[in-house]
Amino acid sequence: MHFDAHLDTWDTYFGAAYTHGTPFRRAAEENLLDQEGCLHVGIRGPLYGPSDLHDDAAIGFAAVTCPDIEAEGTGGMLERIRARVGDRPVYVSVDIDVLDPAHAPAPAPRRPAGSPPGAAGRAARSSAG
């Protein structure tokens, strides 16, 4: 389960294969991910190409975007997490920019309209069962 404003599944980021924008692509290539359970939560950052979402889904990720959370509420987000993750063991990755800059102002670049801290915390705890 990956909490972030960005996908982090790009093949390269400004020509480099190993960067902060590529770790989950590399993990997928090394068969380290359960492709039926991969989930991004809080996505709202920019895409770098038209194939980004397709490529992301092809390596097994589903996404709960910030607009999804706004529309469905925290309860809807938690239902989607439980449906995707199920009873699997879960590795949780949290990038601080998943939070709205009002709550975490230091990350750059800032991405407005992020998750409030309470929603992110409830989502992380939901994976504990």
Side-chain angles (χ1 to χ4, degrees), residues 14-40:
F14 293 104
Y18 292 90
T19 73
H20 67 285
T22 65
F24 295 105
R25 170 67 65 100
R26 302 292 83 84
E29 291 170 351
E30 295 179 26
N31 296 315
L32 300 174
L33 304 176
D34 177 349
Q35 292 186 333
E36 299 296 316
C38 294
L39 181 68
H40 302 293

Side-chain angles (χ1 to χ4, degrees), residues 59-84:
I59 63 171
F61 274 91
V64 179
T65 66
C66 277
D68 294 337
I69 296 168
E70 186 175 327
E72 300 170 19
T74 304
M77 172 191 65
L78 295 175
E79 287 176 23
R80 289 178 64 180
I81 290 171
R82 286 186 198 109
R84 181 74 177 172

